[in-house]
Amino acid sequence: MPLFSIPLSGLNAASTAMSTIANNLANLNTVGYKGSQTQFSDLFYQTVGTNGAGDPVQVGAGTRVSSTTTNLTSGSIESTGVASDVAIMGDGFFVVQKNEITRYSRAGNFTVDPQGNFSTQDGSHVMGYAAVNGAIPSGAPLTALRLDKGQINPPNATGDIQLRTNLDAGSSVGTPYATPVTVYDSLGAPHVLSFNFQKTGANAWSYNISAPTSDLTAPSDWAASEPYAVGNLVAPGNGHYYQCITAGTSGASAPTWPTDGSTITDGGATWQDMGTTLPANTSTLITGGSLAFDSSGKLTSPSGDLKGIKSGALADGALPLDFTWSLYDTAGAGLLTQVAAASTTSSAQQDGYGSGSLTKYTVGSDGMIMGSFSNGRTAVLGQIALANFPNLQGLERDGDNDYSATLASGAAVVGTPGSGGRGALSGGSLELSNVDIAQEFSALIIAQRGYEANARTITTFDQIMQDTINLKPA
């Protein structure tokens, strides 16, 4: 009698194949989905004898599903323009973690949760390497990445100032010129310094760097032989404040300061007694000196950069300003010139900046997440990690686009994108499903024919069975 188990095994196998195909088609638009294919193998055989040549005569017992293999080729990459979307170009899996359980995924449609964690759609945290002071430390441990919009880029106090300035050689003695420069203190607060220049003779100028008096805890004391600019304020210690109303260099010894509201001439400077109340809109001298140029208008003195320029104590509680005024470029050419052209500053550069909050971010091909801050600065926020496995077919699918490592897959080998055989990343893009609808329809037709053929076999066996029963005499 024929064995019904043989076509029944074919029905079961064909049914599994059609279910696999149906699952592929259902996930045709699932981000990062990898198609599967059902593989069959024949069952054991029964030897019922041998032929005249001694060859075995065997009858098979049917078929079974031997494996479901995953097509791990990359899907098409689609640009989305969404900063949190990331596609893997090549091998590798994102490392994600939820409830301390680590899984792996190809789906890069990430988001940022309310706590600032870089997360998958099901709330798993995307793992990588956190930045420290804008850099990824060597040997950094794997950790959940954060992209909190509240992240602050810390301030940096100004340490260097460069001015590209021309002073008009044709101007008369006593002609002033001033240019403002915004600098930053250790707390990130801005201060507008005034760089004041005054011609003192042929190829000779004085300079004066002043800060708003309101930015300081107190005006500075008077200093001998210093170039003062109009608006500078001093507090010589008698309880009164004096404002410079005629720019010039102070005398070699302190004058007798009036206290009746009158003026006093001090060397080349003239001071106005402002009384005992600190006046508004005044400035305080930080430092001053003289400049000399040769007959070609090139700076000759000072012969080097002015280092260690310090302000007094700042009113906001930050450390005093402490900076270098770079008078020469890296080639040794002076940044200040004196030619017969209008006094002007073509550029003013300084290396300080205030604090800033995260405004946007991008993901690079190496997985580096680069943040842009409201203060115009950029900094590395972290680096996405990728994992690879010795046997990719040994991974177990968990749903939600996740895979788990098994004994068959081997342990995950985690590292940075673009290294160790791991693929590169494409920020602002998604990897689409790699299911080919034409191939799936072809496979569906083949599976359908297989199912129908086995069903026909069962019908035939049933008819034979009925014919056999009917052989019994009435």
Side-chain angles (χ1 to χ4, degrees):
M1 294 298 293
L3 297 175
F4 280 88
S5 62
I6 295 175
L8 285 173
S9 70
L11 285 178
N12 289 333
S15 178
T16 301
M18 287 190 288
S19 294
T20 300
I21 295 167
N23 187 58
N24 289 341
L25 292 172
N27 286 281
L28 188 64
N29 295 313
T30 299
V31 174
Y33 177 80
K34 301 301 178 187
S36 297
Q37 183 179 15
T38 302
Q39 306 288 342
F40 305 125
S41 66
D42 51 359
L43 292 175
F44 64 90
Y45 286 79
Q46 180 182 8
T47 301
V48 296
T50 58
N51 64 13
D55 300 329
V57 177
Q58 295 178 297
V59 178
T63 187
R64 68 181 178 89
V65 175
S66 61
S67 66
T68 52
T69 59
T70 301
N71 176 13
L72 290 166
T73 59
S74 296
S76 300
I77 304 298
E78 180 181 67
S79 177
T80 64
V82 179
S84 58
D85 287 345
V86 187
I88 302 174
M89 300 182 295
D91 294 337
F93 294 81
F94 298 112
V95 184
V96 299
Q97 193 174 89
K98 186 176 184 180
N99 298 327
E100 299 185 357
I101 298 175
T102 301
R103 291 188 171 90
Y104 308 91
S105 177
R106 290 283 298 193
N109 51 336
F110 302 136
T111 185
V112 179
D113 68 19
Q115 288 72 44
N117 297 303
F118 201 34
S119 304
T120 65
Q121 295 296 319
D122 70 346
S124 297
H125 295 166
V126 181
M127 306 298 285
Y129 308 102
V132 177
N133 296 326
I136 306 296
S138 176
L142 206 62
T143 186
L145 296 173
R146 290 183 57 81
L147 297 176
D148 189 353
K149 282 294 184 74
Q151 289 188 62
I152 297 296
N153 182 246
N156 181 65
T158 298
D160 183 82
I161 298 176
Q162 293 184 4
L163 299 178
R164 288 191 176 274
T165 298
N166 178 66
L167 300 174
D168 187 1
S171 59
S172 58
V173 173
T175 300
Y177 173 69
T179 187
V181 178
T182 300
V183 299
Y184 295 86
D185 63 27
S186 60
L187 295 178
H191 304 273
V192 180
L193 301 185
S194 180
F195 282 69
N196 306 290
F197 303 90
Q198 186 176 38
K199 189 168 186 180
T200 57
N203 298 328
W205 294 72
S206 65
Y207 70 85
N208 165 312
I209 304 176
S210 304
T213 302
S214 58
D215 289 2
L216 306 173
T217 56
S220 62
D221 196 355
W222 173 90
S225 302
E226 287 284 357
Y228 284 96
V230 172
N232 285 172
L233 196 72
V234 295
N238 63 352
H240 281 237
Y241 299 102
Y242 299 86
Q243 184 176 4
C244 182
I245 58 174
T246 301
T249 302
S250 60
S253 59
T256 300
W257 298 99
T259 57
D260 58 358
S262 61
T263 61
I264 185 174
T265 299
D266 166 35
T270 302
W271 300 94
Q272 173 72 55
D273 176 19
M274 305 300 292
T276 58
T277 302
L278 184 66
N281 301 320
T282 60
S283 59
T284 296
L285 173 70
I286 293 178
T287 190
S290 60
L291 304 170
F293 300 87
D294 64 16
S295 58
S296 298
K298 296 179 180 179
L299 182 67
T300 58
S301 178
S303 58
D305 298 336
L306 299 178
K307 301 179 179 181
I309 301 174
K310 296 182 179 181
S311 71
L314 297 177
D316 63 359
L319 294 174
L321 299 174
D322 186 350
F323 59 89
T324 294
W325 183 12
S326 294
L327 297 174
Y328 297 87
D329 62 18
T330 55
L335 299 175
L336 302 182
T337 60
Q338 183 208 231
V339 297
S343 294
T344 185
T345 298
S346 58
S347 72
Q349 299 177 355
Q350 56 85 38
D351 58 359
Y353 48 85
S355 63
S357 57
L358 182 65
T359 57
K360 63 179 182 179
Y361 58 88
T362 57
V363 178
S365 61
D366 58 356
M368 289 289 189
I369 305 175
M370 187 68 67
S372 298
F373 294 83
S374 57
N375 59 358
R377 309 296 297 180
T378 59
V380 174
L381 304 178
Q383 186 175 24
I384 297 173
L386 291 184
N388 220 338
F389 297 86
N391 175 26
L392 296 177
Q393 293 298 332
L395 292 171
E396 182 177 78
R397 292 190 185 227
D398 297 326
D400 288 326
N401 292 324
D402 290 341
Y403 297 79
S404 289
T406 66
L407 290 175
S409 69
V413 182
V414 181
T416 57
S419 68
R422 289 171 285 268
L425 301 185
S426 177
S429 303
L430 288 177
E431 179 189 12
L432 304 182
S433 169
N434 68 353
V435 172
D436 186 322
I437 190 171
Q439 290 182 0
E440 297 302 320
F441 280 159
S442 297
L444 184 61
I445 292 171
I446 294 172
Q448 178 188 8
R449 288 176 177 174
Y451 190 94
E452 291 172 345
N454 282 283
R456 181 63 177 172
T457 301
I458 291 175
T459 301
T460 302
F461 281 10
D462 181 66
Q463 184 63 49
I464 293 173
M465 180 68 70
Q466 292 297 324
D467 291 344
T468 302
I469 294 173
N470 292 334
L471 291 175
K472 183 177 179 180

